């Protein structure tokens, strides 16, 4: 039995424009269904191969903010996500995640800014801007990545030192 929170994603290509750049991304073009059978999935490929585009679409289709954060984050610094999320249908498993986080290296600064704005006495800020890039990523991991959660991480290695 498949115990994954997301069992598969299906792309309805008739909802994507004929002249969309998505049709030119080799790894994505023509993909009708992607199944997940393991608790962890890595998208690996060259720059421009569609990894971030696919991960972003899955995150947005799953209810996360396009720039990242938890499902409670609701803001837009710059609306740059593709139409793929609108053509994507998620097949969910019988289990529901208790928590989740979408981490995008390219828009993490914006999420860190919102984290400060959203803070209150019950939810104090982690003051991510006062930490190094690596320390702020680690703070997010320690605070949000816990068992029974759905985590979508786009380029988490960007904050790592060799």
């Amino acid at each position: 039995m498949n115990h994954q929170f997301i069992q598969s994603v299906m792309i309805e290509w008739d909802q994507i424009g004929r002249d969309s750049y998505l049709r030119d991304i080799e790894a994505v073009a023509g993909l009708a269904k992607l199944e997940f059978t393991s608790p962890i999935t890595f998208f690996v490929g060259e720059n421009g191969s569609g990894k971030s585009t696919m991960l972003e679409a899955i995150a947005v289709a799953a209810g996360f903010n396009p720039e990242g954060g938890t499902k409670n984050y609701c803001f837009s610094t710059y609306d740059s996500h593709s139409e793929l999320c609108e053509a994507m249908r998620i097949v969910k498993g019988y289990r529901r995640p208790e928590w989740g986080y979408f981490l995008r290296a390219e828009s993490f600064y914006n999420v860190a800014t919102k984290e400060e704005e959203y803070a209150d006495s019950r939810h104090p800020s982690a003051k991510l801007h006062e930490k190094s890039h690596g320390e702020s990523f680690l703070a997010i991991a320690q605070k949000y990545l816990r068992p029974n959660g759905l985590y979508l991480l786009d380029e988490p290695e960007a904050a790592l030192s060799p």
Side-chain angles (χ1 to χ4, degrees):
M1 178 178 277
N2 187 333
H3 300 287
Q4 309 315 311
F5 297 128
I6 296 177
Q7 299 210 345
S8 64
V9 294
M10 296 185 297
I11 301 171
E12 298 173 3
W13 284 97
D14 58 337
Q15 294 187 26
I16 296 175
R18 289 278 168 226
D19 59 345
S20 173
Y21 75 94
L22 295 169
R23 296 179 179 276
D24 297 327
I25 301 174
E26 193 173 329
V28 177
L31 180 66
K33 184 176 185 178
L34 179 61
E35 293 188 47
F36 301 102
T37 58
S38 178
I40 299 174
T41 300
F42 292 95
F43 292 161
V44 179
E46 297 294 325
N47 289 340
S49 65
K51 303 177 302 294
S52 293
T53 300
M54 187 63 127
L55 192 61
E56 172 191 82
I58 293 169
V60 174
F64 290 96
N65 186 60
E67 292 186 52
T70 68
K71 288 186 178 183
N72 295 331
Y73 280 57
C74 184
F75 70 95
S76 177
T77 305
Y78 182 79
D79 192 16
S80 66
H81 59 286
S82 74
E83 63 189 308
L84 184 59
C85 62
E86 296 163 19
M88 186 174 281
R89 300 296 166 250
I90 294 180
V91 177
K92 297 177 180 177
Y94 69 93
R95 295 175 55 228
R96 297 290 179 250
E98 293 175 10
W99 192 249
Y101 201 88
F102 176 35
L103 184 137
R104 290 186 64 173
E106 68 184 63
S107 56
F108 185 70
Y109 183 91
N110 304 339
V111 172
T113 300
K114 276 297 171 187
E115 187 269 348
E116 287 183 13
E117 290 177 19
Y118 289 160
D120 60 25
S121 60
R122 290 183 43 212
H123 308 93
S125 174
K127 301 188 184 303
L128 300 172
H129 284 304
E130 295 177 16
K131 297 173 176 23
S132 73
H133 191 58
E135 289 171 328
S136 61
F137 269 44
L138 183 59
I140 289 295
Q142 291 172 331
K143 182 175 182 179
Y144 292 109
L145 277 58
R146 51 187 185 243
N148 298 312
L150 176 62
Y151 306 106
L152 303 161
L153 311 176
D154 187 23
E155 299 183 358
E157 76 283 359
L160 300 176
S161 297

